[in-house]
């Protein structure tokens, strides 16, 4: 029903930057909370950043001051600007969208994009 396509992952050096993008197949962004999650090898998936429909943002402590989440609702696009990258940021990053008033039935995920931080 709704497809999310995330992209932008790459191999970067410590201290470098990446910009991840997520595009939805339908015009849902105006009503959905959007988020980025990540999963490192052998670790649980964790919430990295979240942004509500009114622009309120939340970040994991480990990425505060380095990552910025933003959204372009008319273009149905979500972004994650990642600066000062560290090896521990290495993970598969997933775009997520959910309808806050019915998250059980309206919750969608991107396929994931690999971010590797290594020298």
């Amino acid at each position: 029903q709704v497809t999310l396509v995330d992209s932008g992952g790459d191999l970067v050096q410590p201290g470098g930057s990446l910009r991840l993008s997520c595009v939805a197949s339908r015009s849902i962004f105006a009503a959905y909370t959007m988020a980025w999650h990540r999963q490192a090898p052998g670790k649980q998936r964790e919430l990295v950043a979240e942004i509500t429909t009114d622009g309120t943002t939340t970040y994991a402590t480990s990425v505060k001051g380095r990552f910025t989440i933003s959204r372009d609702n008319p273009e149905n696009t979500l972004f994650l600007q990642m600066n000062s990258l560290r090896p521990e940021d290495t993970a598969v990053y997933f775009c997520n969208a959910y309808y806050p008033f019915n998250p059980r039935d309206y919750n969608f995920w991107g396929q994931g994009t690999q971010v590797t931080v290594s020298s």
Side-chain angles (χ1 to χ4, degrees):
Q1 186 173 351
V2 175
T3 300
L4 302 178
V5 179
D6 38 31
S7 62
D10 205 349
L11 171 65
V12 297
Q13 296 181 338
S17 298
L18 282 175
R19 183 177 174 87
L20 305 184
S21 300
C22 171
V23 180
S25 61
R26 300 180 64 186
S27 300
I28 64 168
F29 276 38
Y32 279 61
T33 297
M34 303 295 300
W36 289 98
H37 296 244
R38 68 185 181 187
Q39 187 166 22
K43 301 291 183 64
Q44 290 186 295
R45 186 173 297 187
E46 65 172 342
L47 175 65
V48 176
E50 187 174 83
I51 183 167
T52 66
T53 55
D54 66 358
T56 301
T57 58
T58 303
Y59 297 93
T61 300
S62 60
V63 307
K64 283 185 177 179
R66 300 188 298 119
F67 291 9
T68 302
I69 188 171
S70 61
R71 61 194 296 165
D72 184 344
N73 289 344
E75 299 298 326
N76 300 307
T77 304
L78 176 74
F79 301 100
L80 184 68
Q81 179 65 47
M82 310 165 67
N83 299 325
S84 301
L85 284 163
R86 305 166 180 170
E88 53 264 41
D89 294 319
T90 296
V92 178
Y93 285 70
F94 298 89
C95 175
N96 171 238
Y98 68 89
Y99 185 55
F101 300 104
N102 191 2
R104 183 187 299 270
D105 295 324
Y106 298 93
N107 194 333
F108 308 99
W109 292 86
Q111 81 286 353
T113 184
Q114 176 71 50
V115 173
T116 302
V117 184
S118 177
S119 59

